[in-house]
Amino acid sequence: VIKSPIVIGGVPTMSSSSSAKAPSSSSAKRKLAARVDTSPLPSSVVGASSSSTTSSSKPTPLSSADVVSSSSSSSTGSTNISPPRTPPVISSEVGSTVDPKNTDSGIDAGVMTAQGEAKRQRSSSFSRRQPEGAGVSVGSGGARRDNVGAPCPAVPIMSDEERLEAMKGACKTILNCIGEDPNREGLFKTPKRWAEALLFLTKGYTQTVEDVTNDAVFEEGMGAAEDMVVVRDIDIHSLCEHHMVPFTGKVHVGYIPKKKVLGISKIARIAEVFSRRLQVQERLTREIAGSIMQAIDPLGVAVVVECSHMCMVMRGVQKVGSNTVTSSVLGCFQTDSKTRAEFFSIVNGNAYTRR
């Protein structure tokens, strides 16, 4: 005689008399499922049934759901419970979600962070600029360089022929825009002439102070001499960078040597290097003074520039005869008022007597 089922170790079994054999598990399941009450049990009853032991004397009715769960548990021998999933990592570098457990996809949080760092370095590299006052030139192949030869990566490298052709095309466009015919006889060769002229007027971009001094720096062993060297009335011609029209005038340069002297003609060549660029007069004055200070390390340098700007004469306010005067004094010319006064007196053509 088969009696009510009893749960032992999570597996339903049948109690029988000592003289009868226990039926097979499959037949027991079928018979048990036919006799089980299918109505849901209260949670208190379910909890009591799961906590019963083999010594229980009173069997507890089971629902069909409990029977199925117990059967699957008995067939596998254990219950697989998935651990909670590790929360994903949000990469602050690129704003993407990275799963540290996802090794199959080949995505690593460290890789994503490295990519973000590389992106930031690339963006910062495009914002680099040359400091104001640093002479920037175009070396061989058209690459812009400063006076120490450091390349400026933002400027494309072009050959002389490529630059000339590009400038000729730009000039033809300008002629068309102002209503002219670039193919008429008087203008047919104008784009080429204009391009060659502009390259000459801006040839300072292809030169450095080291190039033009040509080792014309001499050791004189003069020590802290008080003898002033002044070169006056050096003609310069430059282009205003705001309107690309000329401004012309004169430069006056004075310095007091320490141990080295500079060839007289090299002072004029240094002024030419910086004036043959797109300029503003204030920066031009500082660049001439700073380059001489760097070349021979004198006790002091003073520079005065006087120019007439065509952007004020030919256009705009159209004030003919106006001149702009700028000065830059370094070293002892800046700290010693008497030395500074002597220089300005010589520049102005007045006799100066030392006291």
Side-chain angles (χ1 to χ4, degrees):
V1 177
I2 298 176
K3 296 183 179 181
S4 300
I6 300 175
V7 178
I8 299 176
V11 180
T13 60
M14 306 299 164
S15 62
S16 60
S17 62
S18 59
S19 60
K21 293 184 178 181
S24 63
S25 60
S26 59
S27 61
K29 292 176 187 177
R30 289 193 298 270
K31 294 179 180 180
L32 180 61
R35 297 181 55 184
V36 169
D37 185 9
T38 58
S39 60
L41 296 176
S43 59
S44 59
V45 177
V46 175
S49 108
S50 61
S51 60
S52 61
T53 60
T54 55
S55 61
S56 301
S57 58
K58 294 182 179 180
T60 304
L62 300 177
S63 67
S64 59
D66 294 329
V67 175
V68 174
S69 175
S70 299
S71 301
S72 60
S73 172
S74 62
S75 61
T76 58
S78 63
T79 304
N80 294 326
I81 301 176
S82 299
R85 183 177 176 84
T86 305
V89 178
I90 304 298
S91 174
S92 60
E93 301 294 342
V94 293
S96 59
T97 303
V98 181
D99 185 4
K101 297 294 184 180
N102 186 7
T103 56
D104 296 334
S105 61
I107 300 176
D108 190 345
V111 174
M112 301 295 286
T113 302
Q115 291 175 351
E117 179 66 23
K119 181 179 180 181
R120 185 165 58 247
Q121 290 179 358
R122 287 196 301 271
S123 63
S124 63
S125 66
F126 289 112
S127 62
R128 289 183 293 176
R129 292 177 177 268
Q130 293 292 328
E132 183 179 356
V136 179
S137 63
V138 180
S140 59
R144 284 170 63 90
R145 297 178 179 272
D146 60 16
N147 280 333
V148 297
C152 304
V155 180
I157 298 176
M158 301 175 64
S159 65
D160 293 340
E161 293 76 11
E162 289 173 339
R163 283 191 293 167
L164 191 62
E165 289 301 319
M167 294 172 70
K168 286 165 59 178
C171 184
K172 290 180 180 179
T173 301
I174 294 173
L175 291 174
N176 282 320
C177 290
I178 64 175
E180 270 289 357
D181 179 13
N183 294 319
R184 70 179 177 87
E185 183 180 3
L187 296 176
F188 185 72
K189 293 185 179 181
T190 296
K192 182 176 183 295
R193 297 189 190 103
W194 173 83
E196 291 174 345
L198 186 57
L199 289 175
F200 175 80
L201 295 174
T202 57
K203 67 178 182 178
Y205 287 119
T206 65
Q207 298 173 325
T208 64
V209 173
E210 291 78 7
D211 295 336
V212 298
T213 54
N214 196 23
D215 298 328
V217 177
F218 307 102
E219 295 276 354
E220 290 295 329
M222 300 172 67
E226 296 182 356
D227 298 328
M228 185 182 299
V229 179
V230 179
V231 181
R232 296 192 311 177
D233 300 331
I234 302 172
D235 291 329
I236 60 168
H237 308 278
S238 188
L239 292 177
C240 168
E241 68 179 28
H242 300 145
H243 305 96
M244 291 185 65
V245 294
F247 67 91
T248 61
K250 297 182 180 297
V251 178
H252 316 289
V253 179
Y255 73 95
I256 296 180
K258 184 187 297 183
K259 294 181 180 180
K260 299 177 182 179
V261 295
L262 187 62
I264 299 298
S265 66
K266 306 309 177 184
I267 296 177
R269 291 188 182 278
I270 290 174
E272 183 80 359
V273 167
F274 294 106
S275 64
R276 293 299 187 182
R277 301 177 182 183
L278 300 182
Q279 280 285 13
V280 293
Q281 185 173 325
E282 297 86 346
R283 183 173 67 240
L284 171 62
T285 308
R286 294 195 307 269
E287 286 179 337
I288 295 173
S291 61
I292 295 175
M293 197 74 176
Q294 184 178 3
I296 59 176
D297 189 28
L299 295 177
V301 177
V303 177
V304 173
V305 179
E306 304 176 59
C307 286
S308 175
H309 292 251
M310 292 300 103
C311 60
M312 289 184 60
V313 176
M314 298 175 59
R315 57 162 300 281
V317 295
Q318 301 182 41
K319 299 301 180 182
V320 180
S322 61
N323 288 321
T324 302
V325 181
T326 54
S327 66
S328 177
V329 290
L330 302 174
C332 62
F333 287 94
Q334 186 177 32
T335 58
D336 189 346
S337 60
K338 291 184 178 181
T339 302
R340 186 168 61 252
E342 179 182 356
F343 169 73
F344 284 115
S345 177
I346 296 174
V347 167
N348 292 328
N350 300 325
Y352 181 84
T353 304
R354 293 188 183 183
R355 296 181 181 179

